[in-house]
Amino acid sequence: MSEVAQIIDTLESRLAKLLAKIDGLEKNRQEMQQELKKATTVVQQQSKEIEVLKSQHDSLKMANSLLGSEENKRDTKLKINSLIREIDYCIAQLSD
């Protein structure tokens, strides 16, 4: 009977260790999920900031080309032509 009691004690101690390890892993998983949420939020904020900066960059390029910069002269001409077409379209719509 003492062998059976010893086996049961061994199993109980192993089970206790396993339960402790499961608790530790669960805490670790929760911490990692929180870190993932934080990282996702940061990535979203940075993506928005990148979009704003791209828009500002395009505006600055346009302003520079309107001020006489030779680098973006072609882009400026294309943009002006596009705006003229849009205005003509609006005038035609108002005429009808």
Side-chain angles (χ1 to χ4, degrees):
M1 207 47 137
S2 69
E3 285 185 32
V4 173
Q6 191 176 18
I7 291 173
I8 290 173
D9 287 342
T10 305
L11 286 175
E12 285 177 348
S13 67
R14 287 184 181 179
L15 183 61
K17 288 179 183 178
L18 283 173
L19 291 174
K21 195 169 194 175
I22 288 171
D23 288 340
L25 290 173
E26 181 63 28
K27 288 178 184 177
N28 189 18
R29 183 185 68 82
Q30 290 175 354
E31 290 173 2
M32 296 192 89
Q33 282 181 333
Q34 289 176 350
E35 285 181 35
L36 179 62
K37 286 179 184 178
K38 288 178 185 177
T40 302
T41 303
V42 168
V43 167
Q44 289 173 347
Q45 290 172 346
Q46 289 176 342
S47 294
K48 288 178 185 177
E49 187 177 341
I50 286 171
E51 290 302 317
V52 168
L53 290 173
K54 282 182 181 179
S55 175
Q56 289 176 349
H57 179 259
D58 290 340
S59 297
L60 286 172
K61 280 175 43 178
M62 186 64 63
N64 280 339
S65 60
L66 290 174
L67 290 173
S69 173
E70 293 296 323
E71 295 176 13
N72 303 317
K73 200 171 198 175
R74 181 178 177 278
D75 291 338
T76 304
K77 287 180 182 179
L78 292 174
K79 182 66 175 176
I80 290 171
N81 288 337
S82 172
L83 292 172
I84 290 172
R85 273 187 251 120
E86 286 182 31
I87 292 170
D88 287 342
Y89 177 76
C90 291
I91 291 172
Q93 291 293 321
L94 290 173
S95 299
D96 294 339

